[in-house]
Amino acid sequence: MEKILQSQGFGTKKACRYMVLDGLVEIDGEVMDDIRAEFDPMAQGGLHFTVDSEPWVYREHVYVALNKPAGVECSRRPAVHRGVLSLLPDQFTLRDVQPVGRLDHDTTGLLLLSDDGGFIHAQSHPKRHVPKTYVATTQDPVTPELVAQLVAGVKLTDEPAPLAARACQLDSHRIEMTIDMGKYHQVKRMLAAAGHHCVALRRTAIGGLRLEDLGLAEGKWCHLTAEQLACL
Ligand code: URA
């Protein structure tokens, strides 16, 4: 059991052993204080247990969606603002859950996190072109010319070719943009290249996974189901 606890981010093998010996772990309502007891974490129905009365389900990997608030850094070593991992259980940090790509500290909305290196790599690979949808609020009113410029493509200083977006005006100061690449500050820089200042940015979808369908309040997270992962 201690190995299972360790794999789920409950600390070192020794710390996990003491959790078991101290009677903090229960399975099916029974204290499980035998460190030699073997369990199949992949058994049908999954392995459900409680640690210090908190319910857990064994997960080989964690795939999480977070509705990121503003003022939170995606960096693993946040410098100025609080780190995004502080919004998740401590166990996730210990099992090396990381953001899949990054959002700026002031960008809000859908952020994926996982401890599955293959998944993170596949999602972030530049060749994969997972479309990402944002709603940007602009300082000045959105114009048909702005939309046309973004659709035609705008030139960013360090990019060899113009970058284009799918774009549509939502209201006087809000535009929805979908981009296939994830260049540094891409949305804000594309808007700036078209002569508009972005005052707020929210990611609303990644592939077919839409933040509004997840029903997450700002700062809240959920595990993704296999069906939701397939939308990516
Ligand atoms: N584009 C940006 O400019 N910022 C983000 O956080 C994401 C996309």
Side-chain angles (χ1 to χ4, degrees), residues 68 74 102-108 132 134 179 181-191 198 201-203:
K68 179 190 171 297
C74 286
R102 290 189 178 189
L103 291 176
D104 299 335
H105 75 85
D106 54 355
T107 300
T108 60
K132 302 193 174 75
Y134 296 84
I179 55 174
M181 281 184 270
K183 306 283 181 189
Y184 183 65
H185 292 330
Q186 185 171 336
V187 173
K188 292 176 188 165
R189 286 165 69 220
M190 285 178 75
L191 287 165
C198 175
L201 187 60
R202 180 167 187 74
R203 182 151 71 190

Side-chain angles (χ1 to χ4, degrees), residues 2-228:
E2 65 201 43
K3 275 198 201 131
I4 290 175
L5 290 182
Q6 194 183 4
S7 74
Q8 302 301 288
F10 282 93
T12 61
K13 197 170 169 202
K14 191 170 167 192
C16 292
R17 178 176 307 165
Y18 279 112
M19 281 179 196
V20 176
L21 290 173
D22 289 347
L24 295 180
V25 181
E26 288 185 14
I27 296 181
D28 294 332
E30 300 275 322
V31 173
M32 215 300 302
D33 55 3
D34 177 359
I35 50 168
R36 273 172 295 276
E38 300 264 336
F39 295 91
D40 176 8
M42 307 303 269
Q44 190 80 22
L47 178 62
H48 296 249
F49 56 97
T50 62
V51 179
D52 215 2
S53 304
E54 205 183 325
W56 287 87
V57 180
Y58 174 88
R59 291 175 200 273
E60 189 178 6
H61 285 297
V62 162
Y63 305 92
V64 160
L66 169 75
N67 185 354
K68 179 190 171 297
V72 172
E73 283 182 36
C74 286
S75 151
R76 279 160 66 83
R77 280 179 203 79
V80 180
H81 302 93
R82 70 189 287 204
V84 74
L85 290 171
S86 70
L87 298 171
L88 304 174
D90 292 344
Q91 286 80 357
F92 288 8
T93 305
L94 279 178
R95 56 186 295 180
D96 211 18
V97 167
Q98 302 173 30
V100 181
R102 290 189 178 189
L103 291 176
D104 299 335
H105 75 85
D106 54 355
T107 300
T108 60
L110 182 57
L111 179 71
L112 305 181
L113 299 104
S114 179
D115 61 351
D116 180 348
F119 172 77
I120 296 174
H121 181 73
Q123 283 295 316
S124 354
H125 199 281
K127 288 213 175 110
R128 184 121 193 277
H129 297 311
V130 183
K132 302 193 174 75
T133 303
Y134 296 84
V135 173
T137 307
T138 52
Q139 189 163 331
D140 297 322
V142 173
T143 59
E145 291 73 35
L146 170 63
V147 177
Q149 257 184 296
L150 294 169
V151 170
V154 288
K155 180 81 181 70
L156 303 185
T157 40
D158 53 349
E159 290 300 323
L163 297 179
R166 267 173 280 149
C168 78
Q169 179 167 2
L170 296 179
D171 55 37
S172 68
H173 286 72
R174 289 190 317 146
I175 183 166
E176 183 179 82
M177 291 171 61
T178 301
I179 55 174
D180 288 340
M181 281 184 270
K183 306 283 181 189
Y184 183 65
H185 292 330
Q186 185 171 336
V187 173
K188 292 176 188 165
R189 286 165 69 220
M190 285 178 75
L191 287 165
H196 279 256
H197 178 58
C198 175
V199 293
L201 187 60
R202 180 167 187 74
R203 182 151 71 190
T204 54
I206 300 175
L209 184 69
R210 287 157 19 119
L211 182 61
E212 65 172 346
D213 295 340
L214 297 172
L216 292 173
E218 232 173 50
K220 298 292 178 202
W221 62 274
C222 64
H223 288 287
L224 291 173
T225 62
E227 208 176 32
Q228 288 164 336

